[in-house]
Amino acid sequence: LDGSRLLDMYRQMVLSRALDERVWMLNRQGKAAIVASAQGHEAAQIGSAWALERGKDLFYIYYRDLAVLLTLGITPLEIMSGFLAKEGEPLSGARQFPTHGAYPKYGIVNLSNVVATQIPQAVGAALAIKMKGEDSVVITYFGDGAASVGECHEGMNFAAVHKLPIIFFCENNGYAISVPLSKQMAVESIAGRAEAYGMPGVAVDGRDIAAV
């Protein structure tokens, strides 16, 4: 990571935060009905997206991954079109929740805002990549709350058994919607859980973009 790339990453972080704050302002004005904030997640999301190949790898995101979308190439205008349900929104034609749908050009898939449903779908995509012998990987994003849902267990177990090319990326912000981590799952990190499935796991500070 040279200086120019770090500067580009920082610009993406600032852009994501500014856009997120603007969307929240519109929500309070009654103009954007549904908003799930990405504030505080910018470094984790952007660092992970920069580590992969845009246009080649697949990104199964969840509803907080605004910074991932911006990093992969979706424009602020397209993002705002989704939140305001306007023409020109590329993921679903503004027919779904904001940032929901798919953008094959950038390898983006987000089919639902139901917690953890993207995980088994991502695992299926990784199985298809392995069966076809393709040189690409899948990353699936989720929060710590999803780590307590059955789909997460089933997806990680299946991926480990079949040695699939997939990254399980847990954005642990300490809360599952509104429930603190201490009350909804064991305090141990998801990285420790990965070892139980026979997969390598690592925990890093999600605010450290270089570490991510």
Side-chain angles (χ1 to χ4, degrees):
L1 291 173
D2 59 25
S4 64
R5 286 179 175 164
L6 287 170
L7 189 60
D8 286 342
M9 293 165 81
Y10 179 67
R11 179 181 178 277
Q12 289 290 338
M13 290 179 67
V14 174
L15 175 61
S16 178
R17 177 62 64 93
L19 189 59
D20 196 297
E21 291 176 346
R22 175 60 60 178
V23 169
W24 271 111
M25 189 181 299
L26 291 169
N27 174 263
R28 295 300 186 261
Q29 294 172 355
K31 297 177 181 179
I34 300 168
V35 178
S37 181
Q39 294 183 30
H41 294 233
E42 296 93 349
Q45 294 175 15
I46 294 167
S48 64
W50 270 77
L52 297 171
E53 290 193 55
R54 285 169 278 188
K56 179 180 179 182
D57 298 323
L58 294 177
F59 298 78
Y60 279 73
I61 63 173
Y62 84 126
Y63 51 81
R64 293 195 191 280
D65 288 327
L66 172 63
V68 175
L69 296 175
L70 291 169
T71 302
L72 294 179
I74 294 183
T75 68
L77 177 59
E78 290 171 329
I79 294 290
M80 293 299 292
S81 296
F83 280 104
L84 299 174
K86 300 296 184 182
E87 184 180 1
E89 196 278 335
L91 292 164
S92 71
R95 291 176 173 85
Q96 294 196 49
F97 281 18
T99 72
H100 284 53
Y103 206 149
K105 176 182 176 181
Y106 298 127
I108 297 167
V109 184
N110 181 10
L111 301 177
S112 173
N113 67 321
V114 179
V115 172
T117 55
Q118 73 278 13
I119 296 175
Q121 295 165 357
V123 171
L127 177 62
I129 287 172
K130 181 179 179 180
M131 293 174 69
K132 292 177 180 179
E134 296 175 350
D135 180 27
S136 56
V137 300
V138 178
I139 183 169
T140 180
Y141 296 83
F142 53 96
D144 46 285
S148 297
V149 177
E151 283 93 334
C152 185
H153 159 75
E154 292 157 10
M156 294 182 77
N157 185 59
F158 190 91
V161 168
H162 295 280
K163 296 180 170 58
L164 301 182
I166 184 170
I167 300 165
F168 295 91
F169 194 86
C170 181
E171 299 178 41
N172 180 6
N173 61 15
Y175 278 86
I177 306 298
S178 58
V179 180
L181 184 66
S182 60
K183 292 187 177 181
Q184 64 94 15
M185 66 177 284
V187 178
E188 299 88 50
S189 70
I190 193 71
R193 184 175 297 192
E195 187 175 348
Y197 292 105
M199 295 187 292
V202 60
V204 300
D205 184 350
R207 299 164 296 182
D208 185 337
I209 198 166
V212 176

PDB file of all heavy atoms in Angstrom, residues 162-200:
ATOM      1  N   HIS A 162     -15.897 -28.778   2.313  1.00  0.00           N
ATOM      2  CA  HIS A 162     -15.599 -28.813   0.880  1.00  0.00           C
ATOM      3  C   HIS A 162     -14.428 -27.920   0.481  1.00  0.00           C
ATOM      4  O   HIS A 162     -14.115 -27.821  -0.714  1.00  0.00           O
ATOM      5  CB  HIS A 162     -16.847 -28.431   0.090  1.00  0.00           C
ATOM      6  CG  HIS A 162     -17.967 -29.414   0.233  1.00  0.00           C
ATOM      7  ND1 HIS A 162     -18.031 -30.595  -0.479  1.00  0.00           N
ATOM      8  CD2 HIS A 162     -19.058 -29.415   1.047  1.00  0.00           C
ATOM      9  CE1 HIS A 162     -19.121 -31.266  -0.136  1.00  0.00           C
ATOM     10  NE2 HIS A 162     -19.759 -30.571   0.783  1.00  0.00           N
ATOM     11  N   LYS A 163     -13.795 -27.276   1.472  1.00  0.00           N
ATOM     12  CA  LYS A 163     -12.625 -26.425   1.215  1.00  0.00           C
ATOM     13  C   LYS A 163     -12.904 -25.415   0.088  1.00  0.00           C
ATOM     14  O   LYS A 163     -12.238 -25.385  -0.941  1.00  0.00           O
ATOM     15  CB  LYS A 163     -11.401 -27.279   0.892  1.00  0.00           C
ATOM     16  CG  LYS A 163     -10.958 -28.162   2.059  1.00  0.00           C
ATOM     17  CD  LYS A 163      -9.752 -28.985   1.705  1.00  0.00           C
ATOM     18  CE  LYS A 163      -9.170 -29.667   2.947  1.00  0.00           C
ATOM     19  NZ  LYS A 163     -10.147 -30.536   3.648  1.00  0.00           N
ATOM     20  N   LEU A 164     -13.897 -24.576   0.330  1.00  0.00           N
ATOM     21  CA  LEU A 164     -14.349 -23.637  -0.690  1.00  0.00           C
ATOM     22  C   LEU A 164     -13.596 -22.310  -0.622  1.00  0.00           C
ATOM     23  O   LEU A 164     -13.147 -21.899   0.452  1.00  0.00           O
ATOM     24  CB  LEU A 164     -15.856 -23.390  -0.526  1.00  0.00           C
ATOM     25  CG  LEU A 164     -16.743 -24.632  -0.626  1.00  0.00           C
ATOM     26  CD1 LEU A 164     -18.205 -24.253  -0.502  1.00  0.00           C
ATOM     27  CD2 LEU A 164     -16.492 -25.385  -1.937  1.00  0.00           C
ATOM     28  N   PRO A 165     -13.489 -21.617  -1.756  1.00  0.00           N
ATOM     29  CA  PRO A 165     -12.787 -20.323  -1.800  1.00  0.00           C
ATOM     30  C   PRO A 165     -13.682 -19.184  -1.313  1.00  0.00           C
ATOM     31  O   PRO A 165     -14.225 -18.413  -2.110  1.00  0.00           O
ATOM     32  CB  PRO A 165     -12.439 -20.177  -3.286  1.00  0.00           C
ATOM     33  CG  PRO A 165     -13.569 -20.882  -3.992  1.00  0.00           C
ATOM     34  CD  PRO A 165     -13.933 -22.045  -3.105  1.00  0.00           C
ATOM     35  N   ILE A 166     -13.860 -19.076  -0.009  1.00  0.00           N
ATOM     36  CA  ILE A 166     -14.757 -18.070   0.552  1.00  0.00           C
ATOM     37  C   ILE A 166     -14.162 -17.459   1.808  1.00  0.00           C
ATOM     38  O   ILE A 166     -13.483 -18.138   2.587  1.00  0.00           O
ATOM     39  CB  ILE A 166     -16.147 -18.679   0.850  1.00  0.00           C
ATOM     40  CG1 ILE A 166     -17.117 -17.602   1.357  1.00  0.00           C
ATOM     41  CG2 ILE A 166     -16.043 -19.849   1.819  1.00  0.00           C
ATOM     42  CD1 ILE A 166     -18.562 -18.070   1.438  1.00  0.00           C
ATOM     43  N   ILE A 167     -14.413 -16.169   1.988  1.00  0.00           N
ATOM     44  CA  ILE A 167     -14.014 -15.444   3.195  1.00  0.00           C
ATOM     45  C   ILE A 167     -15.277 -15.078   3.962  1.00  0.00           C
ATOM     46  O   ILE A 167     -16.189 -14.463   3.407  1.00  0.00           O
ATOM     47  CB  ILE A 167     -13.244 -14.157   2.839  1.00  0.00           C
ATOM     48  CG1 ILE A 167     -11.976 -14.487   2.047  1.00  0.00           C
ATOM     49  CG2 ILE A 167     -12.902 -13.358   4.100  1.00  0.00           C
ATOM     50  CD1 ILE A 167     -11.365 -13.270   1.363  1.00  0.00           C
ATOM     51  N   PHE A 168     -15.335 -15.448   5.220  1.00  0.00           N
ATOM     52  CA  PHE A 168     -16.433 -15.045   6.099  1.00  0.00           C
ATOM     53  C   PHE A 168     -15.959 -13.807   6.855  1.00  0.00           C
ATOM     54  O   PHE A 168     -15.065 -13.904   7.703  1.00  0.00           O
ATOM     55  CB  PHE A 168     -16.797 -16.173   7.067  1.00  0.00           C
ATOM     56  CG  PHE A 168     -17.349 -17.393   6.396  1.00  0.00           C
ATOM     57  CD1 PHE A 168     -16.504 -18.419   5.998  1.00  0.00           C
ATOM     58  CD2 PHE A 168     -18.708 -17.516   6.152  1.00  0.00           C
ATOM     59  CE1 PHE A 168     -17.004 -19.543   5.365  1.00  0.00           C
ATOM     60  CE2 PHE A 168     -19.217 -18.645   5.518  1.00  0.00           C
ATOM     61  CZ  PHE A 168     -18.362 -19.664   5.130  1.00  0.00           C
ATOM     62  N   PHE A 169     -16.557 -12.667   6.555  1.00  0.00           N
ATOM     63  CA  PHE A 169     -16.073 -11.386   7.085  1.00  0.00           C
ATOM     64  C   PHE A 169     -17.082 -10.843   8.088  1.00  0.00           C
ATOM     65  O   PHE A 169     -18.107 -10.266   7.718  1.00  0.00           O
ATOM     66  CB  PHE A 169     -15.867 -10.403   5.929  1.00  0.00           C
ATOM     67  CG  PHE A 169     -15.075  -9.185   6.293  1.00  0.00           C
ATOM     68  CD1 PHE A 169     -13.697  -9.197   6.246  1.00  0.00           C
ATOM     69  CD2 PHE A 169     -15.716  -8.018   6.675  1.00  0.00           C
ATOM     70  CE1 PHE A 169     -12.961  -8.067   6.580  1.00  0.00           C
ATOM     71  CE2 PHE A 169     -14.989  -6.889   7.007  1.00  0.00           C
ATOM     72  CZ  PHE A 169     -13.609  -6.911   6.967  1.00  0.00           C
ATOM     73  N   CYS A 170     -16.781 -11.014   9.368  1.00  0.00           N
ATOM     74  CA  CYS A 170     -17.684 -10.578  10.430  1.00  0.00           C
ATOM     75  C   CYS A 170     -17.326  -9.161  10.871  1.00  0.00           C
ATOM     76  O   CYS A 170     -16.221  -8.924  11.364  1.00  0.00           O
ATOM     77  CB  CYS A 170     -17.615 -11.539  11.613  1.00  0.00           C
ATOM     78  SG  CYS A 170     -18.718 -11.083  12.974  1.00  0.00           S
ATOM     79  N   GLU A 171     -18.247  -8.242  10.697  1.00  0.00           N
ATOM     80  CA  GLU A 171     -18.059  -6.857  11.148  1.00  0.00           C
ATOM     81  C   GLU A 171     -18.649  -6.742  12.549  1.00  0.00           C
ATOM     82  O   GLU A 171     -19.825  -6.431  12.719  1.00  0.00           O
ATOM     83  CB  GLU A 171     -18.750  -5.891  10.180  1.00  0.00           C
ATOM     84  CG  GLU A 171     -18.203  -5.959   8.765  1.00  0.00           C
ATOM     85  CD  GLU A 171     -18.937  -5.029   7.815  1.00  0.00           C
ATOM     86  OE1 GLU A 171     -19.246  -3.880   8.217  1.00  0.00           O
ATOM     87  OE2 GLU A 171     -19.219  -5.448   6.686  1.00  0.00           O
ATOM     88  N   ASN A 172     -17.828  -6.999  13.526  1.00  0.00           N
ATOM     89  CA  ASN A 172     -18.293  -7.025  14.910  1.00  0.00           C
ATOM     90  C   ASN A 172     -18.219  -5.633  15.519  1.00  0.00           C
ATOM     91  O   ASN A 172     -17.158  -5.163  15.918  1.00  0.00           O
ATOM     92  CB  ASN A 172     -17.437  -8.016  15.711  1.00  0.00           C
ATOM     93  CG  ASN A 172     -17.847  -8.097  17.166  1.00  0.00           C
ATOM     94  OD1 ASN A 172     -18.836  -7.499  17.587  1.00  0.00           O
ATOM     95  ND2 ASN A 172     -17.087  -8.836  17.952  1.00  0.00           N
ATOM     96  N   ASN A 173     -19.353  -4.969  15.606  1.00  0.00           N
ATOM     97  CA  ASN A 173     -19.384  -3.638  16.221  1.00  0.00           C
ATOM     98  C   ASN A 173     -19.887  -3.690  17.667  1.00  0.00           C
ATOM     99  O   ASN A 173     -20.168  -2.658  18.271  1.00  0.00           O
ATOM    100  CB  ASN A 173     -20.234  -2.673  15.389  1.00  0.00           C
ATOM    101  CG  ASN A 173     -21.691  -3.114  15.261  1.00  0.00           C
ATOM    102  OD1 ASN A 173     -22.153  -3.972  16.007  1.00  0.00           O
ATOM    103  ND2 ASN A 173     -22.400  -2.524  14.326  1.00  0.00           N
ATOM    104  N   GLY A 174     -20.007  -4.884  18.204  1.00  0.00           N
ATOM    105  CA  GLY A 174     -20.375  -5.029  19.607  1.00  0.00           C
ATOM    106  C   GLY A 174     -21.856  -5.165  19.878  1.00  0.00           C
ATOM    107  O   GLY A 174     -22.263  -5.420  21.009  1.00  0.00           O
ATOM    108  N   TYR A 175     -22.667  -5.032  18.822  1.00  0.00           N
ATOM    109  CA  TYR A 175     -24.125  -5.125  19.003  1.00  0.00           C
ATOM    110  C   TYR A 175     -24.754  -5.928  17.868  1.00  0.00           C
ATOM    111  O   TYR A 175     -24.363  -5.785  16.710  1.00  0.00           O
ATOM    112  CB  TYR A 175     -24.775  -3.735  19.036  1.00  0.00           C
ATOM    113  CG  TYR A 175     -24.676  -3.067  20.382  1.00  0.00           C
ATOM    114  CD1 TYR A 175     -23.547  -2.327  20.716  1.00  0.00           C
ATOM    115  CD2 TYR A 175     -25.694  -3.185  21.317  1.00  0.00           C
ATOM    116  CE1 TYR A 175     -23.441  -1.718  21.955  1.00  0.00           C
ATOM    117  CE2 TYR A 175     -25.593  -2.577  22.550  1.00  0.00           C
ATOM    118  CZ  TYR A 175     -24.466  -1.848  22.868  1.00  0.00           C
ATOM    119  OH  TYR A 175     -24.358  -1.247  24.093  1.00  0.00           O
ATOM    120  N   ALA A 176     -25.735  -6.743  18.228  1.00  0.00           N
ATOM    121  CA  ALA A 176     -26.578  -7.411  17.250  1.00  0.00           C
ATOM    122  C   ALA A 176     -27.893  -6.628  17.202  1.00  0.00           C
ATOM    123  O   ALA A 176     -28.753  -6.808  18.070  1.00  0.00           O
ATOM    124  CB  ALA A 176     -26.826  -8.863  17.644  1.00  0.00           C
ATOM    125  N   ILE A 177     -28.022  -5.720  16.240  1.00  0.00           N
ATOM    126  CA  ILE A 177     -29.113  -4.755  16.165  1.00  0.00           C
ATOM    127  C   ILE A 177     -29.062  -3.867  17.408  1.00  0.00           C
ATOM    128  O   ILE A 177     -28.452  -2.815  17.397  1.00  0.00           O
ATOM    129  CB  ILE A 177     -30.494  -5.434  16.012  1.00  0.00           C
ATOM    130  CG1 ILE A 177     -30.463  -6.398  14.812  1.00  0.00           C
ATOM    131  CG2 ILE A 177     -31.573  -4.377  15.815  1.00  0.00           C
ATOM    132  CD1 ILE A 177     -30.202  -5.750  13.485  1.00  0.00           C
ATOM    133  N   SER A 178     -29.695  -4.269  18.520  1.00  0.00           N
ATOM    134  CA  SER A 178     -29.662  -3.465  19.747  1.00  0.00           C
ATOM    135  C   SER A 178     -29.245  -4.278  20.960  1.00  0.00           C
ATOM    136  O   SER A 178     -29.295  -3.785  22.080  1.00  0.00           O
ATOM    137  CB  SER A 178     -31.049  -2.845  19.993  1.00  0.00           C
ATOM    138  OG  SER A 178     -32.027  -3.857  20.097  1.00  0.00           O
ATOM    139  N   VAL A 179     -28.840  -5.525  20.745  1.00  0.00           N
ATOM    140  CA  VAL A 179     -28.463  -6.415  21.851  1.00  0.00           C
ATOM    141  C   VAL A 179     -26.945  -6.469  21.946  1.00  0.00           C
ATOM    142  O   VAL A 179     -26.273  -6.780  20.957  1.00  0.00           O
ATOM    143  CB  VAL A 179     -29.033  -7.829  21.638  1.00  0.00           C
ATOM    144  CG1 VAL A 179     -28.629  -8.750  22.788  1.00  0.00           C
ATOM    145  CG2 VAL A 179     -30.546  -7.773  21.505  1.00  0.00           C
ATOM    146  N   PRO A 180     -26.368  -6.190  23.122  1.00  0.00           N
ATOM    147  CA  PRO A 180     -24.906  -6.227  23.245  1.00  0.00           C
ATOM    148  C   PRO A 180     -24.351  -7.627  23.051  1.00  0.00           C
ATOM    149  O   PRO A 180     -25.018  -8.631  23.312  1.00  0.00           O
ATOM    150  CB  PRO A 180     -24.653  -5.712  24.662  1.00  0.00           C
ATOM    151  CG  PRO A 180     -25.928  -5.938  25.386  1.00  0.00           C
ATOM    152  CD  PRO A 180     -27.022  -5.802  24.370  1.00  0.00           C
ATOM    153  N   LEU A 181     -23.108  -7.691  22.598  1.00  0.00           N
ATOM    154  CA  LEU A 181     -22.446  -8.954  22.297  1.00  0.00           C
ATOM    155  C   LEU A 181     -22.480  -9.917  23.480  1.00  0.00           C
ATOM    156  O   LEU A 181     -22.686 -11.115  23.320  1.00  0.00           O
ATOM    157  CB  LEU A 181     -20.994  -8.685  21.885  1.00  0.00           C
ATOM    158  CG  LEU A 181     -20.150  -9.876  21.443  1.00  0.00           C
ATOM    159  CD1 LEU A 181     -20.700 -10.458  20.151  1.00  0.00           C
ATOM    160  CD2 LEU A 181     -18.704  -9.442  21.248  1.00  0.00           C
ATOM    161  N   SER A 182     -22.314  -9.386  24.685  1.00  0.00           N
ATOM    162  CA  SER A 182     -22.260 -10.243  25.876  1.00  0.00           C
ATOM    163  C   SER A 182     -23.550 -10.997  26.136  1.00  0.00           C
ATOM    164  O   SER A 182     -23.563 -12.018  26.820  1.00  0.00           O
ATOM    165  CB  SER A 182     -21.911  -9.395  27.100  1.00  0.00           C
ATOM    166  OG  SER A 182     -22.903  -8.389  27.296  1.00  0.00           O
ATOM    167  N   LYS A 183     -24.664 -10.508  25.569  1.00  0.00           N
ATOM    168  CA  LYS A 183     -25.961 -11.143  25.813  1.00  0.00           C
ATOM    169  C   LYS A 183     -26.456 -12.013  24.664  1.00  0.00           C
ATOM    170  O   LYS A 183     -27.420 -12.752  24.823  1.00  0.00           O
ATOM    171  CB  LYS A 183     -27.020 -10.075  26.110  1.00  0.00           C
ATOM    172  CG  LYS A 183     -26.814  -9.354  27.425  1.00  0.00           C
ATOM    173  CD  LYS A 183     -27.981  -8.429  27.733  1.00  0.00           C
ATOM    174  CE  LYS A 183     -27.796  -7.767  29.103  1.00  0.00           C
ATOM    175  NZ  LYS A 183     -28.945  -6.883  29.429  1.00  0.00           N
ATOM    176  N   GLN A 184     -25.817 -11.911  23.515  1.00  0.00           N
ATOM    177  CA  GLN A 184     -26.350 -12.652  22.375  1.00  0.00           C
ATOM    178  C   GLN A 184     -25.445 -13.779  21.893  1.00  0.00           C
ATOM    179  O   GLN A 184     -25.868 -14.630  21.136  1.00  0.00           O
ATOM    180  CB  GLN A 184     -26.680 -11.710  21.215  1.00  0.00           C
ATOM    181  CG  GLN A 184     -25.508 -10.993  20.615  1.00  0.00           C
ATOM    182  CD  GLN A 184     -24.901 -11.689  19.415  1.00  0.00           C
ATOM    183  OE1 GLN A 184     -25.504 -12.570  18.843  1.00  0.00           O
ATOM    184  NE2 GLN A 184     -23.696 -11.301  19.064  1.00  0.00           N
ATOM    185  N   MET A 185     -24.196 -13.827  22.329  1.00  0.00           N
ATOM    186  CA  MET A 185     -23.327 -14.948  21.974  1.00  0.00           C
ATOM    187  C   MET A 185     -22.121 -14.926  22.903  1.00  0.00           C
ATOM    188  O   MET A 185     -21.939 -14.010  23.694  1.00  0.00           O
ATOM    189  CB  MET A 185     -22.863 -14.859  20.515  1.00  0.00           C
ATOM    190  CG  MET A 185     -21.952 -13.673  20.208  1.00  0.00           C
ATOM    191  SD  MET A 185     -21.363 -13.629  18.517  1.00  0.00           S
ATOM    192  CE  MET A 185     -20.119 -14.916  18.568  1.00  0.00           C
ATOM    193  N   ALA A 186     -21.310 -15.978  22.830  1.00  0.00           N
ATOM    194  CA  ALA A 186     -20.098 -16.022  23.637  1.00  0.00           C
ATOM    195  C   ALA A 186     -19.213 -14.838  23.277  1.00  0.00           C
ATOM    196  O   ALA A 186     -19.189 -14.386  22.134  1.00  0.00           O
ATOM    197  CB  ALA A 186     -19.358 -17.327  23.394  1.00  0.00           C
ATOM    198  N   VAL A 187     -18.477 -14.339  24.246  1.00  0.00           N
ATOM    199  CA  VAL A 187     -17.661 -13.155  24.028  1.00  0.00           C
ATOM    200  C   VAL A 187     -16.473 -13.444  23.109  1.00  0.00           C
ATOM    201  O   VAL A 187     -15.905 -12.547  22.512  1.00  0.00           O
ATOM    202  CB  VAL A 187     -17.185 -12.590  25.387  1.00  0.00           C
ATOM    203  CG1 VAL A 187     -16.282 -11.382  25.191  1.00  0.00           C
ATOM    204  CG2 VAL A 187     -18.381 -12.205  26.233  1.00  0.00           C
ATOM    205  N   GLU A 188     -16.111 -14.729  22.942  1.00  0.00           N
ATOM    206  CA  GLU A 188     -14.994 -15.059  22.073  1.00  0.00           C
ATOM    207  C   GLU A 188     -15.257 -14.547  20.658  1.00  0.00           C
ATOM    208  O   GLU A 188     -16.390 -14.487  20.214  1.00  0.00           O
ATOM    209  CB  GLU A 188     -14.770 -16.575  22.005  1.00  0.00           C
ATOM    210  CG  GLU A 188     -14.432 -17.226  23.331  1.00  0.00           C
ATOM    211  CD  GLU A 188     -15.687 -17.631  24.088  1.00  0.00           C
ATOM    212  OE1 GLU A 188     -16.568 -18.285  23.511  1.00  0.00           O
ATOM    213  OE2 GLU A 188     -15.774 -17.260  25.259  1.00  0.00           O
ATOM    214  N   SER A 189     -14.201 -14.255  19.973  1.00  0.00           N
ATOM    215  CA  SER A 189     -14.335 -13.692  18.631  1.00  0.00           C
ATOM    216  C   SER A 189     -14.764 -14.753  17.634  1.00  0.00           C
ATOM    217  O   SER A 189     -14.605 -15.955  17.857  1.00  0.00           O
ATOM    218  CB  SER A 189     -13.001 -13.087  18.176  1.00  0.00           C
ATOM    219  OG  SER A 189     -12.056 -14.116  17.934  1.00  0.00           O
ATOM    220  N   ILE A 190     -15.289 -14.298  16.513  1.00  0.00           N
ATOM    221  CA  ILE A 190     -15.649 -15.208  15.431  1.00  0.00           C
ATOM    222  C   ILE A 190     -14.414 -15.901  14.885  1.00  0.00           C
ATOM    223  O   ILE A 190     -14.486 -17.002  14.341  1.00  0.00           O
ATOM    224  CB  ILE A 190     -16.390 -14.443  14.313  1.00  0.00           C
ATOM    225  CG1 ILE A 190     -17.054 -15.412  13.322  1.00  0.00           C
ATOM    226  CG2 ILE A 190     -15.472 -13.491  13.585  1.00  0.00           C
ATOM    227  CD1 ILE A 190     -18.233 -16.146  13.862  1.00  0.00           C
ATOM    228  N   ALA A 191     -13.249 -15.268  15.040  1.00  0.00           N
ATOM    229  CA  ALA A 191     -12.009 -15.896  14.575  1.00  0.00           C
ATOM    230  C   ALA A 191     -11.750 -17.192  15.329  1.00  0.00           C
ATOM    231  O   ALA A 191     -11.296 -18.187  14.766  1.00  0.00           O
ATOM    232  CB  ALA A 191     -10.836 -14.940  14.764  1.00  0.00           C
ATOM    233  N   GLY A 192     -12.033 -17.202  16.628  1.00  0.00           N
ATOM    234  CA  GLY A 192     -11.886 -18.423  17.403  1.00  0.00           C
ATOM    235  C   GLY A 192     -12.867 -19.483  16.959  1.00  0.00           C
ATOM    236  O   GLY A 192     -12.551 -20.682  16.953  1.00  0.00           O
ATOM    237  N   ARG A 193     -14.056 -19.062  16.549  1.00  0.00           N
ATOM    238  CA  ARG A 193     -15.042 -20.015  16.070  1.00  0.00           C
ATOM    239  C   ARG A 193     -14.585 -20.669  14.770  1.00  0.00           C
ATOM    240  O   ARG A 193     -14.852 -21.842  14.517  1.00  0.00           O
ATOM    241  CB  ARG A 193     -16.386 -19.315  15.863  1.00  0.00           C
ATOM    242  CG  ARG A 193     -17.496 -20.252  15.445  1.00  0.00           C
ATOM    243  CD  ARG A 193     -18.829 -19.553  15.354  1.00  0.00           C
ATOM    244  NE  ARG A 193     -19.277 -19.040  16.629  1.00  0.00           N
ATOM    245  CZ  ARG A 193     -20.513 -18.591  16.847  1.00  0.00           C
ATOM    246  NH1 ARG A 193     -21.398 -18.592  15.869  1.00  0.00           N
ATOM    247  NH2 ARG A 193     -20.860 -18.132  18.023  1.00  0.00           N
ATOM    248  N   ALA A 194     -13.907 -19.908  13.917  1.00  0.00           N
ATOM    249  CA  ALA A 194     -13.441 -20.458  12.648  1.00  0.00           C
ATOM    250  C   ALA A 194     -12.557 -21.680  12.877  1.00  0.00           C
ATOM    251  O   ALA A 194     -12.631 -22.666  12.130  1.00  0.00           O
ATOM    252  CB  ALA A 194     -12.683 -19.384  11.866  1.00  0.00           C
ATOM    253  N   GLU A 195     -11.728 -21.637  13.900  1.00  0.00           N
ATOM    254  CA  GLU A 195     -10.839 -22.758  14.191  1.00  0.00           C
ATOM    255  C   GLU A 195     -11.623 -24.029  14.478  1.00  0.00           C
ATOM    256  O   GLU A 195     -11.193 -25.138  14.136  1.00  0.00           O
ATOM    257  CB  GLU A 195      -9.946 -22.402  15.383  1.00  0.00           C
ATOM    258  CG  GLU A 195      -8.865 -23.425  15.675  1.00  0.00           C
ATOM    259  CD  GLU A 195      -7.940 -22.978  16.787  1.00  0.00           C
ATOM    260  OE1 GLU A 195      -8.001 -21.794  17.164  1.00  0.00           O
ATOM    261  OE2 GLU A 195      -7.159 -23.814  17.271  1.00  0.00           O
ATOM    262  N   ALA A 196     -12.793 -23.874  15.083  1.00  0.00           N
ATOM    263  CA  ALA A 196     -13.621 -25.036  15.383  1.00  0.00           C
ATOM    264  C   ALA A 196     -14.120 -25.716  14.112  1.00  0.00           C
ATOM    265  O   ALA A 196     -14.430 -26.909  14.121  1.00  0.00           O
ATOM    266  CB  ALA A 196     -14.807 -24.620  16.247  1.00  0.00           C
ATOM    267  N   TYR A 197     -14.190 -24.971  13.020  1.00  0.00           N
ATOM    268  CA  TYR A 197     -14.617 -25.540  11.743  1.00  0.00           C
ATOM    269  C   TYR A 197     -13.437 -25.999  10.890  1.00  0.00           C
ATOM    270  O   TYR A 197     -13.622 -26.415   9.742  1.00  0.00           O
ATOM    271  CB  TYR A 197     -15.438 -24.506  10.961  1.00  0.00           C
ATOM    272  CG  TYR A 197     -16.770 -24.193  11.592  1.00  0.00           C
ATOM    273  CD1 TYR A 197     -16.970 -23.001  12.272  1.00  0.00           C
ATOM    274  CD2 TYR A 197     -17.833 -25.094  11.517  1.00  0.00           C
ATOM    275  CE1 TYR A 197     -18.189 -22.704  12.858  1.00  0.00           C
ATOM    276  CE2 TYR A 197     -19.049 -24.811  12.101  1.00  0.00           C
ATOM    277  CZ  TYR A 197     -19.228 -23.621  12.774  1.00  0.00           C
ATOM    278  OH  TYR A 197     -20.427 -23.336  13.365  1.00  0.00           O
ATOM    279  N   GLY A 198     -12.234 -25.902  11.429  1.00  0.00           N
ATOM    280  CA  GLY A 198     -11.068 -26.314  10.672  1.00  0.00           C
ATOM    281  C   GLY A 198     -10.627 -25.298   9.635  1.00  0.00           C
ATOM    282  O   GLY A 198      -9.982 -25.631   8.639  1.00  0.00           O
ATOM    283  N   MET A 199     -10.980 -24.026   9.870  1.00  0.00           N
ATOM    284  CA  MET A 199     -10.581 -22.954   8.953  1.00  0.00           C
ATOM    285  C   MET A 199      -9.700 -21.956   9.689  1.00  0.00           C
ATOM    286  O   MET A 199      -9.864 -21.767  10.890  1.00  0.00           O
ATOM    287  CB  MET A 199     -11.811 -22.208   8.427  1.00  0.00           C
ATOM    288  CG  MET A 199     -12.742 -23.027   7.570  1.00  0.00           C
ATOM    289  SD  MET A 199     -14.051 -21.991   6.853  1.00  0.00           S
ATOM    290  CE  MET A 199     -14.993 -21.559   8.322  1.00  0.00           C
ATOM    291  N   PRO A 200      -8.791 -21.319   8.979  1.00  0.00           N
ATOM    292  CA  PRO A 200      -8.011 -20.256   9.626  1.00  0.00           C
ATOM    293  C   PRO A 200      -8.897 -19.063   9.938  1.00  0.00           C
ATOM    294  O   PRO A 200      -9.782 -18.718   9.158  1.00  0.00           O
ATOM    295  CB  PRO A 200      -6.949 -19.898   8.589  1.00  0.00           C
ATOM    296  CG  PRO A 200      -7.555 -20.308   7.277  1.00  0.00           C
ATOM    297  CD  PRO A 200      -8.394 -21.519   7.572  1.00  0.00           C
TER     298      PRO A 200
END
